[in-house]
């Protein structure tokens, strides 16, 4: 999950509540974010759902297909019966590179920036494997990277700190000039190594560069995109059949996509369901394929698959406004009496 959340094996995330505003209707939608300093397991809603019979803010737990109602918005969970996703093998930061026969964009896909979010790694591996095994007429280059190798091998969200809260020029300069003034911790090294890998790819790109950052959550959600304050990123996200969340970094700050968005890279973060749910990996894979078609790396009818991927994504979105904006964040304090629900 893009937001900071407490997880087994590494956490210290602080809870918050966030208010979202629909750009179409100007309606403000308050969401209580179950311990997340960002977006939550509740981010799968149906506006003004007529069949939401439970009082706002209560969850109907205990069934195999739970529903959550929050002030008129209903969450529909997907495929709660599925078996956990097999843990991918992480041999190095590079998940592979595919170069098509024709020139085109350079697309970087990062999975595992949070080490317990392995569905993104699986999705990248599947796309690369498919490209290598089929003639797709691919244009450009696709590079897959693991965001936090050390945490991913442990299956932990983080080891020392959240690697998706430190993407600022000041922090990076501090790390690069640390010298012997302080010992580098695991995420310090991870950030420097990932930054070097990303900058090398960007420097060698012959055309436009796109960055996709793949995430999952601690609970079920509909797929959605999060964009930095960058027109190119907004334009790309608008071409995907999933909702878009804008204004996130203004309230959370220093995320990977925002850092590179300010450096001329079209960057989008993609969220797609629960950790270790096979559905999440399928949805993230579908989002990557649809993105590749949207930016011209593959034809829209490549192998007859792109329409199917788009349908898979759109079928998981239930009457959600196309664009929502985060306009308020309330950090949860001990005085709020917040308690994490079991299972989150």
């Amino acid at each position: 999950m893009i937001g900071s959340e407490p997880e087994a094996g590494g956490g210290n995330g602080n809870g918050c509540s966030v208010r979202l505003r629909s750009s179409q209707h100007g309606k403000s939608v308050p969401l209580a974010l179950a311990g997340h300093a960002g977006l939550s397991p509740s981010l799968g809603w149906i506006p003004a759902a007529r069949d939401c019979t439970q009082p706002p803010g209560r969850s109907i737990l205990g069934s195999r297909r739970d529903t959550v109602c929050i002030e008129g918005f209903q969450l529909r969970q997907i495929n709660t019966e599925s078996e956990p996703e097999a843990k991918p093998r992480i041999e190095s930061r590079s998940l592979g590179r595919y170069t098509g026969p024709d020139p085109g964009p350079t697309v970087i896909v990062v999975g595992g920036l949070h080490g317990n979010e392995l569905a993104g790694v699986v999705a990248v591996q599947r796309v690369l494997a498919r490209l290598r095994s089929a003639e797709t007429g691919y244009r450009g280059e696709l590079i897959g990277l693991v965001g936090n190798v050390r945490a991913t091998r442990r299956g932990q969200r983080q080891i020392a700190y959240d690697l998706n809260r430190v993407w600022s020029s000041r922090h990076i300069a501090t790390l690069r000039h640390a010298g012997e003034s302080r010992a580098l911790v695991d995420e310090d090294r991870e950030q420097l190594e990932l930054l070097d890998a990303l900058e090398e790819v960007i420097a060698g790109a012959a055309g436009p560069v796109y960055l996709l950052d793949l995430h999952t959550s601690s609970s079920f959600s509909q797929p959605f995109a999060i964009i930095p304050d960058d027109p190119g990123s907004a334009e790309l996200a608008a071409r995907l059949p999933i909702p878009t969340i804008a204004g996130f970094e203004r309230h959370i700050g220093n995320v990977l996509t925002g850092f590179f968005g300010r450096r001329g890279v079209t960057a989008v973060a993609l969220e797609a369901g629960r950790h270790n749910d096979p559905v999440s990996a399928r949805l993230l894979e579908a989002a990557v394929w649809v993105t590749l078609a949207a930016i011209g790396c593959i034809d829209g009818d490549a192998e007859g698959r792109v329409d199917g991927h788009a349908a898979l994504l759109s079928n998981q979105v239930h009457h959600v406004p196309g664009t929502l904006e985060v306009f308020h964040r309330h950090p949860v304090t001990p005085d709020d009496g917040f308690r994490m629900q079991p299972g989150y």
Side-chain angles (χ1 to χ4, degrees):
M1 184 75 182
I2 292 285
S4 176
E5 53 185 307
E7 297 287 353
N12 301 322
N14 296 317
C16 75
S17 65
V18 168
R19 296 184 70 88
L20 303 178
R21 180 186 289 120
S22 166
S23 66
Q24 288 97 326
H25 308 294
K27 177 182 179 181
S28 114
V29 183
L31 296 178
L33 298 191
H36 298 249
L39 301 174
S40 78
S42 305
L43 213 132
W45 357 245
I46 301 176
R50 296 301 180 187
D51 59 344
C52 189
T53 57
Q54 295 297 311
R58 292 187 56 192
S59 11
I60 310 167
L61 301 176
S63 68
R64 296 298 297 167
R65 191 177 181 86
D66 292 341
T67 302
V68 176
C69 300
I70 301 179
E71 300 198 12
F73 277 58
Q74 177 182 355
L75 163 66
R76 291 180 181 170
Q77 300 191 82
I78 57 173
N79 198 17
T80 61
E81 304 279 358
S82 57
E83 294 298 323
E85 183 71 59
K87 183 176 180 179
R89 184 175 179 179
I90 308 298
E91 297 181 349
S92 66
R93 188 169 307 280
S94 174
L95 293 171
R97 179 187 294 249
Y98 182 83
T99 303
D102 300 314
T106 295
V107 181
I108 309 166
V109 187
V110 175
L113 192 62
H114 293 138
N116 61 336
E117 301 179 18
L118 302 177
V121 175
V122 173
V124 180
Q125 291 174 329
R126 288 177 179 171
V127 172
L128 287 165
R130 182 66 183 176
L131 287 173
R132 295 187 187 108
S133 66
E135 293 293 332
T136 60
Y138 193 87
R139 293 176 286 274
E141 195 165 35
L142 178 67
I143 296 96
L145 296 173
V146 178
N148 192 332
V149 175
R150 292 166 177 84
T152 300
R153 286 173 174 165
R154 295 188 188 185
Q156 297 178 191
R157 177 182 174 88
Q158 62 205 49
I159 299 172
Y161 59 77
D162 190 334
L163 191 55
N164 205 24
R165 291 293 178 278
V166 290
W167 291 92
S168 69
S169 298
R170 176 177 294 183
H171 179 76
I172 290 169
T174 299
L175 294 184
R176 283 178 163 167
H177 296 94
E180 298 182 4
S181 62
R182 70 177 181 88
L184 295 179
V185 299
D186 288 300
E187 269 74 20
D188 293 340
R189 295 185 177 89
E190 288 290 336
Q191 184 171 19
L192 291 174
E193 293 167 10
L194 177 59
L195 179 62
D196 286 345
L198 290 166
E199 288 184 333
E200 180 181 355
V201 172
I202 293 169
V209 179
Y210 296 85
L211 172 64
L212 302 179
D213 181 22
L214 309 185
H215 289 267
T216 52
S217 176
S218 61
S219 186
F220 298 93
S221 71
Q222 298 182 32
F224 59 95
I226 300 176
I227 57 172
D229 292 329
D230 168 66
S233 299
E235 181 180 350
L236 173 59
R239 301 177 70 183
L240 306 180
I242 55 178
T244 298
I245 308 296
F248 184 85
E249 193 186 13
R250 294 197 297 270
H251 300 274
I252 302 300
N254 300 332
V255 298
L256 177 70
T257 50
F259 178 78
F260 282 97
R262 290 187 293 273
R263 302 176 73 179
V265 174
T266 301
V268 175
L270 298 168
E271 292 268 2
R274 188 176 188 175
H275 310 324
N276 304 321
D277 185 347
V279 172
S280 303
R282 291 201 294 272
L283 292 173
L284 288 172
E285 180 189 359
V288 173
W289 284 114
V290 173
T291 302
L292 295 178
I295 62 179
C297 292
I298 59 175
D299 293 330
D301 60 350
E303 304 175 33
R305 294 175 60 87
V306 174
D307 287 346
H309 288 302
L312 176 63
L313 291 169
S314 61
N315 286 342
Q316 300 301 332
V317 177
H318 305 284
H319 310 293
V320 179
T323 303
L324 293 158
E325 182 179 2
V326 179
F327 69 96
H328 175 73
R329 173 178 179 261
H330 169 71
V332 174
T333 68
D335 293 339
D336 292 321
F338 174 82
R339 291 188 301 170
M340 180 72 76
Q341 291 282 359
Y344 290 93

